[in-house]
Amino acid sequence: MTLALRYAVRSDVGLLREGNEDSAYAGPRLLAVADGMGGHAAGEVASAVTIGAMSELERERPGPDMMADLSNAVSAANMRLQQMVMANPAIEGMGTTLTAVLWEGGHAAVCHIGDSRGYLLRQGELYQITHDHTLVQSLVDEGRITEDDVSTHPQRSLLLRALDGRTVAEPDLSVHEAQLGDRYLLCSDGLSGVVSDETLRDTLAGFPDPEACTRQLIDLAIRGGGPDNITCIVADVVDGITTRPSTVPILAGAAANGTDGRSQAPGTNPFAALGSGPAPGQGQGPGKGSGTGPQATGLHPMPGHGTGPNRQQPRTAPQPVLTDDDAPFQSVNGTGAQEIDDEDSTGRGRRGHRASKTKTRRKRWPIVTSALVVLVVVLVAGGYFAYSYTQDQYFVTANDGQVVLYQGVNQSVLGISLSHPHTHTGIQLNQVPNAFRQQLANNPSTSSLSAAEQIVTTIQGQVTACGDWWKSLQQWQTNTNNYNNAIKQAEKNHATKKELAAIKNTAGTQPTQPLNIDCPPSTAYDVPTSSIPAGSGG
């Protein structure tokens, strides 16, 4: 028995997004989903580039170390993103998640980074085979919040790991043995964040055909509000002898839309470096591409995976640049080189040609000047609009031991900062809980002032909660000490049991730490360690 994959892939923009930043690839050896982020910073380019780099694993059979193959492909994708950002700084800030399965001989190697997900349906039970790299998941793992708190947590969208070309890629890697009848689901959080695990299990178990299953999953996410792009791959493990497996690699989402304007901007073409044919969406002549695939679904076959030759444009050797002295002579009167032939021994002809050449150069100056003026105007206008755009951005970070809300972007050009303080919040950094302090260190950017102010409000609320807790704990300790001293004094005065019972303990119950908040030490709130109970973490 030879195990193989029969798969279907589908991607939808959803109901609230303007464009699709998800990308997906499904082939006989590789399944991959990438959820781009960055908005104006070209998240769809990041996901498409990553899928393009990962798809090169389809070209050859995996080696004995499938996890190493996946790790190398992820590093190559991250390097491409870095090169693109260096070529076009306008897209800095883009990034993407990645969840992929590399298939060979009944073994599945799983690669994961970010919050897209991989699931396995086996014998009616659904297993999540990936672990979200998000702040809220880390809080769940540490027991600070519950699964029920995740959907309402203010930082539920904050990723701890992603592919962005700026940091080292650290994917989770694993290998497991597949079984006949297994069904894999790879999806972006536009599906898993809207549809419950129970509904996912029922749908995967209830629709035998992968194509029908992907349609139903997309419909469920749409009915749930479709707040994000939705992408999913459903792949069945089948007997390659008795059941016809899938053989045509398919692209979906942004990776299939090579005509996107931002994708085609200089330095952003996601398939420019693949060397495997034209970008998806562009014309292909005979012998290029697969030539087959479910075009009716809006998906595109992967370029360069067909039986025809992969033609490349012939290269041309670099040509020397012609200067005025090297160019063919052209006189004002149009006689050309004949002017040299007619020169006499006195050299008057040569002087005449030089004079004509000088006149020609003078005529070029108005054109050059106009071009320079236009260029300056374009640069100034472009700079103005670019600066205006940055001033619509806000981020919250720490400066001089305080939490500060900045207007602009956290970058500089020629030593000139593109941001300035908008609001000094007065929140002391040493009073901020650790989770938010890490977030401030990463300079979280937002798309609006209200979003940035919401972050400040959340931080202020947690700082206040921690301060109130330490002060209430200090008061409780004071009341407890007063009660104990009163009892000791009464016993010293040989008070009766009735008199001792009359002494009331006004301290009450010891205050507990605010739920889900890792408060800084009490000294950050001017509460001495000596004034609180021992072992309280002050």
Side-chain angles (χ1 to χ4, degrees):
M1 180 174 60
T2 302
L3 297 182
L5 296 177
R6 185 167 67 104
Y7 50 78
V9 56
R10 185 160 294 275
S11 187
D12 192 279
V13 70
L15 298 180
L16 300 182
R17 301 291 188 182
E18 294 182 358
N20 196 346
E21 294 185 320
D22 287 358
S23 291
Y25 175 94
R29 295 194 182 103
L30 180 73
L31 311 172
V33 168
D35 181 357
M37 65 201 77
H40 292 290
E44 75 279 7
V45 175
S47 67
V49 167
T50 298
I51 290 298
M54 297 300 296
S55 68
E56 296 186 0
L57 290 170
E58 191 78 58
R59 300 178 185 275
E60 299 178 357
R61 298 187 62 152
D65 191 346
M66 297 170 67
M67 290 194 296
D69 292 341
L70 281 170
S71 180
N72 291 336
V74 170
S75 296
N78 205 37
M79 181 61 69
R80 285 188 187 176
L81 294 179
Q82 182 184 54
Q83 292 170 347
M84 293 179 67
V85 170
M86 293 175 64
N88 185 1
I91 60 177
E92 184 175 6
M94 69 176 179
T96 185
T97 68
L98 173 66
T99 300
V101 171
L102 183 62
W103 175 266
E104 175 61 24
H107 292 84
V110 180
C111 168
H112 172 71
I113 184 168
D115 63 350
S116 296
R117 286 186 177 179
Y119 293 91
L120 169 64
L121 181 72
R122 174 174 290 177
Q123 298 179 354
E125 295 296 328
L126 185 66
Y127 304 91
Q128 183 177 333
I129 58 176
T130 59
H131 195 71
D132 294 351
H133 297 144
T134 59
L135 174 63
V136 290
Q137 184 61 55
S138 68
L139 295 177
V140 171
D141 295 341
E142 295 169 4
R144 298 184 185 179
I145 64 174
T146 66
E147 291 285 357
D148 295 335
D149 298 325
V150 170
S151 61
T152 58
H153 196 280
Q155 302 303 319
R156 59 186 175 276
S157 299
L158 182 62
L159 290 179
L160 300 182
R161 287 196 234 169
L163 287 176
D164 56 15
R166 300 189 303 274
T167 57
V168 177
E170 298 180 354
D172 292 340
L173 299 167
S174 62
V175 177
H176 67 270
E177 187 172 352
Q179 297 180 8
L180 183 65
D182 283 351
R183 168 168 279 189
Y184 291 96
L185 168 65
L186 272 59
C187 64
S188 62
D189 64 342
L191 175 63
S192 59
V194 177
V195 181
S196 68
D197 287 354
E198 181 179 2
T199 302
L200 289 178
R201 180 185 62 80
D202 292 344
T203 305
L204 290 170
F207 288 80
D209 178 55
E211 180 65 31
C213 190
T214 58
R215 289 180 181 274
Q216 178 65 14
L217 291 172
I218 295 291
D219 288 344
L220 289 172
I222 293 293
R223 291 179 207 166
D228 202 353
N229 304 146
I230 313 156
T231 299
C232 62
I233 298 174
V234 174
D236 291 339
V237 179
V238 299
D239 185 345
I241 298 177
T242 60
T243 303
R244 184 178 180 181
S246 301
T247 58
V248 179
I250 301 296
L251 288 168
N257 184 17
T259 59
D260 182 89
R262 283 181 289 182
S263 295
Q264 296 304 308
T268 63
N269 186 348
F271 292 94
L274 292 184
S276 58
Q282 296 179 358
Q284 296 184 10
K288 296 181 181 180
S290 63
T292 62
Q295 299 297 335
T297 65
L299 309 179
H300 298 266
M302 180 64 188
H305 291 274
T307 57
N310 292 323
R311 300 179 184 175
Q312 297 183 356
Q313 295 295 330
R315 296 186 178 181
T316 303
Q319 300 298 315
V321 179
L322 295 178
T323 63
D324 284 338
D325 290 336
D326 299 325
F329 292 124
Q330 178 65 44
S331 65
V332 176
N333 62 13
T335 57
Q338 182 65 36
E339 188 168 2
I340 298 179
D341 296 337
D342 291 342
E343 69 174 332
D344 57 19
S345 59
T346 63
R348 286 177 291 182
R350 184 173 295 276
R351 285 194 299 271
H353 172 72
R354 291 294 183 188
S356 299
K357 191 173 179 181
T358 302
K359 292 178 183 178
T360 303
R361 282 179 172 171
R362 288 176 180 172
K363 287 187 177 182
R364 291 176 184 168
W365 275 113
I367 299 176
V368 174
T369 302
S370 299
L372 289 174
V373 170
V374 171
L375 179 61
V376 170
V377 171
V378 169
L379 290 175
V380 171
Y384 170 76
F385 287 113
Y387 180 76
S388 299
Y389 168 75
T390 64
Q391 298 312 293
D392 289 334
Q393 307 297 306
Y394 296 84
F395 64 95
V396 183
T397 187
N399 186 24
D400 292 334
Q402 274 193 42
V403 176
V404 181
L405 192 158
Y406 277 81
Q407 181 178 9
V409 294
N410 190 29
Q411 297 179 8
S412 61
V413 176
L414 300 177
I416 302 176
S417 176
L418 298 181
S419 63
H420 59 274
H422 179 274
T423 304
H424 292 275
T425 65
I427 302 174
Q428 300 301 312
L429 182 61
N430 64 343
Q431 296 180 348
V432 176
N434 294 332
F436 280 95
R437 200 178 306 177
Q438 295 174 4
Q439 181 182 353
L440 293 174
N442 294 329
N443 296 327
S445 59
T446 61
S447 58
S448 66
L449 176 60
S450 61
E453 290 176 336
Q454 180 59 46
I455 293 176
V456 173
T457 300
T458 302
I459 295 175
Q460 180 64 72
Q462 298 211 0
V463 168
T464 300
C466 288
D468 291 345
W469 173 58
W470 284 122
K471 291 175 182 176
S472 63
L473 196 61
Q474 181 185 37
Q475 185 61 51
W476 177 87
Q477 184 64 51
T478 299
N479 293 341
T480 299
N481 291 340
N482 291 339
Y483 169 74
N484 291 334
N485 290 336
I487 291 294
K488 290 180 181 179
Q489 186 63 40
E491 291 176 344
K492 185 177 181 180
N493 296 333
H494 305 288
T496 64
K497 291 184 178 180
K498 185 176 181 179
E499 291 174 335
L500 290 174
I503 302 175
K504 295 183 179 180
N505 182 2
T506 60
T509 305
Q510 179 176 342
T512 58
Q513 184 172 350
L515 183 64
N516 305 330
I517 302 179
D518 184 13
C519 292
S522 63
T523 52
Y525 302 88
D526 297 327
V527 176
T529 305
S530 58
S531 66
I532 59 176
S536 299

